[in-house]
Amino acid sequence: ESSPRAPQSQLCLYSSSSTQANVVQLAFIDGDYCICGLSTGDPSSSFGRATLIELVVVDCRAGSLAALRRLVDQPSSMGDFRAGVAADCVGSACFTCDRSGRLCMWELGGGMDVSCSEPACLKPGGSKPQAALLCADRRWLATVPVAARASEQGKSEPSCPLLLDQQTSEWRQLPLTAPAEMAADMSLGWAVRQVHIQDTVLLIIASLVGEDIELPKLFAWHLPTGVALAEGHVL
């Protein structure tokens, strides 16, 4: 068998403090550029995910890789993003969520100039923002809190995903029923592992933290109607 081809181009990325960093997230911008999420910490320290410290725009054109700019070279412009959780790109826009639950949109124009704007009505009903994973396409933006919250009864419950219809600028909650195991055992936690939008379906994979065997569970919703398609299907 023939051996794999060597990479056409390689690039070593460093944090702004000149510390070599791990690339833990990657999102493409219209095929010409990509956003690299950098981490220097322990992936297990942030809800089972690596903590993002910076985002770097990389030019992928001309058969080579070149770092152009850092989106987060002034952390105050995005609140406490140096404890970031997630980033995703759609077209020329980059959406980011920090651990305080603040969602921002970076508009990446010609020459990769950067501005930051915070969408209005992020949390309908004034609910407290939570650190969330996010996923976006041309129409939908979904944010899914990565950890459980305590209910009024003191139990641990997963928070419902929030969905933004970018055509109407309206936010709404998607129904999420806590797994029966969480109601029976208050010591169990909740951790969302992956979020994905495929056409008109939102998919999340989550697991119960504290089980002897943490089995991944699939949840799915039809986005135009908000109807649940899968509720805790064990994978």
Side-chain angles (χ1 to χ4, degrees):
E1 296 182 4
S2 60
S3 59
R5 294 179 57 186
Q8 182 175 347
S9 179
Q10 292 180 313
L11 177 66
C12 186
L13 295 175
Y14 292 81
S15 68
S16 57
S17 60
S18 299
T19 302
Q20 188 166 352
N22 301 315
V23 177
V24 295
Q25 269 194 278
L26 189 69
F28 283 91
I29 309 169
D30 289 340
D32 291 332
Y33 305 91
C34 68
I35 297 286
C36 294
L38 304 185
S39 172
T40 57
D42 180 0
S44 65
S45 64
S46 175
F47 308 109
R49 298 180 61 86
T51 299
L52 299 181
I53 57 170
E54 290 175 318
L55 299 174
V56 178
V57 179
V58 175
D59 188 346
C60 306
R61 300 171 298 175
S64 62
L65 301 175
L68 296 181
R69 64 166 65 235
R70 300 178 190 276
L71 295 190
V72 192
D73 52 4
Q74 294 180 342
S76 60
S77 68
M78 287 187 60
D80 186 22
F81 185 79
R82 287 193 179 276
V85 174
D88 199 6
C89 295
V90 179
S92 61
C94 177
F95 296 92
T96 60
C97 185
D98 63 25
R99 287 197 58 182
S100 70
R102 184 183 183 209
L103 177 69
C104 286
M105 180 177 69
W106 300 75
E107 284 288 357
L108 307 178
M112 291 293 104
D113 293 330
V114 178
S115 62
C116 179
S117 59
E118 186 174 359
C121 301
L122 174 59
K123 302 296 180 184
S127 59
K128 184 179 179 180
Q130 292 179 267
L133 300 185
L134 60 86
C135 187
D137 67 6
R138 296 287 181 178
R139 177 175 178 182
W140 309 102
L141 170 66
T143 67
V144 183
V146 294
R149 63 181 179 183
S151 68
E152 295 179 356
Q153 293 75 29
K155 296 181 179 180
S156 182
E157 294 182 348
S159 299
C160 294
L162 291 175
L163 181 69
L164 171 65
D165 186 337
Q166 298 184 69
Q167 292 183 357
T168 63
S169 299
E170 294 181 352
W171 286 89
R172 56 190 170 94
Q173 285 188 338
L174 298 175
L176 176 58
T177 303
E181 298 94 327
M182 295 186 73
D185 187 348
M186 294 177 58
S187 68
L188 293 179
W190 171 262
V192 175
R193 306 302 184 185
Q194 295 184 44
V195 180
H196 180 69
I197 293 176
Q198 182 65 42
D199 296 327
T200 58
V201 176
L202 171 66
L203 304 162
I204 72 171
I205 296 176
S207 61
L208 297 181
V209 180
E211 287 186 314
D212 293 335
I213 301 177
E214 293 184 11
L215 298 175
K217 296 177 172 59
L218 173 68
F219 297 80
W221 295 264
H222 180 243
L223 296 180
T225 61
V227 172
L229 304 176
E231 296 183 314
H233 177 75
V234 176
L235 299 178

